Amino acid sequence: MLDGWVCAFLLVLSWSVEVIDASAGDADPRYRGCITQCQETGCIGQRCFPNCKFSSDGEFIDRPWYMQQEPLYLQWKKWDCQGDCRYYCMLDREKERESHNLGPVKYHGKWPFRRIYGMQEPASVAFSALNLAMHFHGWVSFFILIHYKLPLKDGKKAYYEYAGLWHMYGLLSLNSWFWSAVFHSR
């Protein structure tokens, strides 16, 4: 009897969920046309990108053989031709929307932000870094408490039985906040 109610509930729930579509900015034909033009020509209006100059076989034009790859900081940020085209087409499209008194829309699931010092979302990066610092402080405090302030059990084990679990939690939290800062910087 309970299985029938669960199935009915899931059926009604599935009818109430709308179809998930791309962000409104992604579906905009002007935005898509701008990206297509940029990737073909390497330019958006008067603004041209040096990392978009390819020959037909995919090799860079006007670069010596030893500079065929992007610099490491651009590879890490993934600011390649496609990334620059998306970013600057988004900015141009948002200027058009603002001139028509329309509000901003999401592009590729993110709100349009300007890059500041090479970061797409500097406030999110700062808060992720602060969370990283606070989790590091808490993890070090716990480590000091367990190993230096509390007495040890027989065999020099930590007094608290689940200390290893909390250390793993701390390290996973540090890892998560580090990668959150990296994510928001792009």
Side-chain angles (χ1 to χ4, degrees):
M1 182 69 180
L2 184 61
D3 291 337
W5 285 105
V6 170
C7 289
F9 174 74
L10 291 176
L11 186 64
V12 169
L13 183 66
S14 68
W15 284 335
S16 65
V17 175
E18 292 182 31
V19 174
I20 297 174
D21 202 4
S23 300
D26 304 356
D28 186 0
R30 290 184 185 168
Y31 174 74
R32 288 188 177 274
C34 178
I35 288 177
T36 302
Q37 176 211 358
C38 178
Q39 289 178 341
E40 289 173 358
T41 64
C43 298
I44 300 174
Q46 300 298 323
R47 187 185 305 123
C48 294
F49 307 110
N51 55 351
C52 287
K53 294 183 179 178
F54 298 110
S55 66
S56 60
D57 61 350
E59 296 294 323
F60 284 104
I61 298 173
D62 299 333
R63 284 198 183 173
W65 64 270
Y66 54 86
M67 291 187 66
Q68 290 297 315
Q69 286 187 332
E70 292 292 325
L72 187 59
Y73 71 94
L74 288 177
Q75 288 179 15
W76 178 66
K77 289 286 195 179
K78 301 233 184 258
W79 286 350
D80 52 359
C81 180
Q82 182 184 24
D84 279 342
C85 287
R86 284 180 174 180
Y87 176 72
Y88 287 105
C89 284
M90 173 194 69
L91 288 182
D92 288 351
R93 186 64 189 122
E94 282 302 310
K95 283 180 188 174
E96 289 176 23
R97 291 180 60 80
E98 187 177 344
S99 68
H100 296 335
N101 292 328
L102 298 171
V105 295
K106 288 184 177 182
Y107 295 86
H108 305 285
K110 291 186 173 187
W111 291 106
F113 290 110
R114 293 191 182 275
R115 293 177 182 163
I116 299 174
Y117 297 117
M119 291 180 281
Q120 190 82 13
E121 301 173 14
S124 296
V125 172
F127 290 128
S128 292
L130 286 173
N131 272 323
L132 174 67
M134 291 298 102
H135 276 82
F136 180 75
H137 174 71
W139 178 67
V140 168
S141 298
F142 181 74
F143 183 82
I144 290 171
L145 175 72
I146 290 294
H147 293 286
Y148 295 106
K149 293 187 177 181
L150 291 177
L152 297 177
K153 282 184 173 180
D154 297 333
K156 295 190 176 184
K157 288 186 178 181
Y159 180 77
Y160 184 60
E161 291 181 21
Y162 299 108
L165 181 66
W166 284 107
H167 284 300
M168 287 180 6
Y169 171 75
L171 292 173
L172 286 173
S173 296
L174 294 174
N175 184 41
S176 298
W177 286 114
F178 172 77
W179 289 109
S180 172
V182 170
F183 171 78
H184 287 293
S185 71
R186 188 183 181 284

